[in-house]
Amino acid sequence: MASQAPMPNSDGRVRVGIYGLTGCAGDQLAILNDEALLLSLAQLTHIVDFGMASSEAGVDDAPLDLAIVEGAVCSKRDLRVLRAIRARATRLMALGSCALFGGLPAMDAQTPLAMRRLAVYGNAPSASLDESLPAAPLSDYVMVDYAIPGCPIETRELADALARILAGGEPLRHDAPVCADCRLAENVCLAQRGDVCCGPLTRGGCGARCVGFGQACRGCRGPVDDPAFDRVALSLMSQGLGKEQAIAAMQRFSAPAWTGERLAGAFEEDPRHLGVGRKPKPPRWTTESIS
């Protein structure tokens, strides 16, 4: 768990860096599109690096009070960048599902990387392929202090978390499933019409946005604290669905968090299942060297 101590504030304003590893950069774009959040960040912090917002990003290598990192670790370059950021930062926030769970790049995480390379590229030699690593969350390699789930994130959730961190507190966490958001929004239950909906297993806080537009939840915010497998299975079976179908759909965004139908042991160590405060360890699905 992250410390309760207030954030350092050595020069009057917290020094913040926003970075992206491998991913679609949708979470950084969400920040840029939220003018109120962006202006508040600029007023309350010193934004040292923000590559998507500046052509001069990365010129300052001074220590950071808070590093916000989006994307998954998919290459040795990503790993070198992440470790350099972690070495500079007092606190590190994983931003979005790729940073928390590996996201879409890790959706085939159970298949060895060498087999995936062979299927796509054959035996053709490539220096760039030598740099690739199995997609993994940040917490596999460095200590993560805060986590904001979502694909993309909810910027109001990020704004609330930053306000609490800057005040010396901890971000609130949503541990109710998306089904709770659906109830509040008075949405029609899509499982009742036979859709494979991951709402019972997925961490809420998104306002059930997708379900509100008639699209079943795909689990982009990762598993809730207690997925309550048996109860979920009974609920889905009553709608003519199988638990396996929902978990298979969830593995689209959070594959490394699962072993079959169960949470992987490394994620069970973290009661929030977000990688927060978890001791980094080598990836569980590869023996390839990392340098």
Side-chain angles (χ1 to χ4, degrees), residues 6 31-32 50 59 64 79 102 108 111 145 151 155 159 162-163 181 243 252 273 282 290:
I31 295 173
L32 284 176
F50 191 175
V59 298
L64 297 164
L79 185 53
D108 197 15
T111 304
D145 300 291
C151 183
T155 53
L162 290 174
D181 290 354
K243 175 182 62 177
R252 182 178 305 168
H273 303 159
I290 300 167

Side-chain angles (χ1 to χ4, degrees), residues 189-195 233-242:
C189 178
L190 298 184
Q192 291 182 351
R193 74 177 190 189
D195 290 1
L234 290 173
S235 175
L236 293 175
M237 287 173 62
S238 69
Q239 310 301 329
L241 303 172

Side-chain angles (χ1 to χ4, degrees), residues 16-36:
V16 175
I18 303 174
Y19 305 92
L21 303 179
T22 296
C24 70
D27 300 314
Q28 294 182 78
L29 188 60
I31 295 173
L32 284 176
N33 284 338
D34 191 329
E35 295 178 357

Side-chain angles (χ1 to χ4, degrees), residues 29-47:
L29 188 60
I31 295 173
L32 284 176
N33 284 338
D34 191 329
E35 295 178 357
L37 171 62
L38 197 58
L39 289 174
S40 295
L41 266 177
Q43 290 173 344
L44 298 175
T45 70
H46 178 195
I47 303 176

Side-chain angles (χ1 to χ4, degrees), residues 31-240:
I31 295 173
L32 284 176
N33 284 338
D34 191 329
E35 295 178 357
L37 171 62
L38 197 58
L39 289 174
S40 295
L41 266 177
Q43 290 173 344
L44 298 175
T45 70
H46 178 195
I47 303 176
V48 177
D49 285 337
F50 191 175
M52 183 169 279
S54 171
S55 59
E56 297 182 350
V59 298
D60 188 339
D61 59 358
L64 297 164
D65 297 317
L66 176 64
I68 301 173
V69 184
E70 176 200 40
V73 178
C74 296
S75 68
K76 294 178 181 178
R77 177 188 176 280
D78 283 342
L79 185 53
R80 289 192 292 270
V81 170
L82 175 62
R83 285 176 170 164
I85 293 170
R86 177 70 269 194
R88 293 172 56 195
T90 304
R91 306 290 178 85
L92 186 143
M93 173 185 288
L95 188 71
S97 293
C98 286
L100 270 65
F101 309 112
L104 293 179
M107 64 188 302
D108 197 15
Q110 308 305 321
T111 304
L113 177 61
M115 292 180 62
R116 281 177 276 153
R117 285 177 178 170
L118 184 63
V120 177
Y121 299 103
N123 292 314
S126 170
S128 59
L129 290 181
D130 291 340
E131 281 281 302
S132 62
L133 294 171
L138 309 188
S139 59
D140 269 13
Y141 295 107
V142 299
M143 184 70 76
V144 170
D145 300 291
Y146 310 111
I148 303 294
C151 183
I153 61 163
E154 300 290 332
T155 53
R156 56 177 172 73
E157 185 176 10
L158 174 62
D160 182 80
L162 290 174
R164 293 176 186 278
I165 293 169
L166 294 176
E170 291 288 315
L172 291 179
R173 64 188 177 95
H174 297 276
D175 57 2
V178 170
C179 291
D181 290 354
C182 262
R183 291 279 185 176
L184 292 173
E186 300 182 347
N187 290 331
V188 173
C189 178
L190 298 184
Q192 291 182 351
R193 74 177 190 189
D195 290 1
V196 177
C197 185
C198 301
L201 296 168
T202 303
R203 187 176 303 276
C206 58
R209 186 190 307 278
C210 296
V211 181
F213 284 103
Q215 299 297 315
C217 173
R218 298 306 185 201
C220 79
R221 291 174 61 82
V224 291
D225 289 1
D226 179 7
F229 294 102
D230 295 337
R231 184 173 301 177
V232 169
L234 290 173
S235 175
L236 293 175
M237 287 173 62
S238 69
Q239 310 301 329

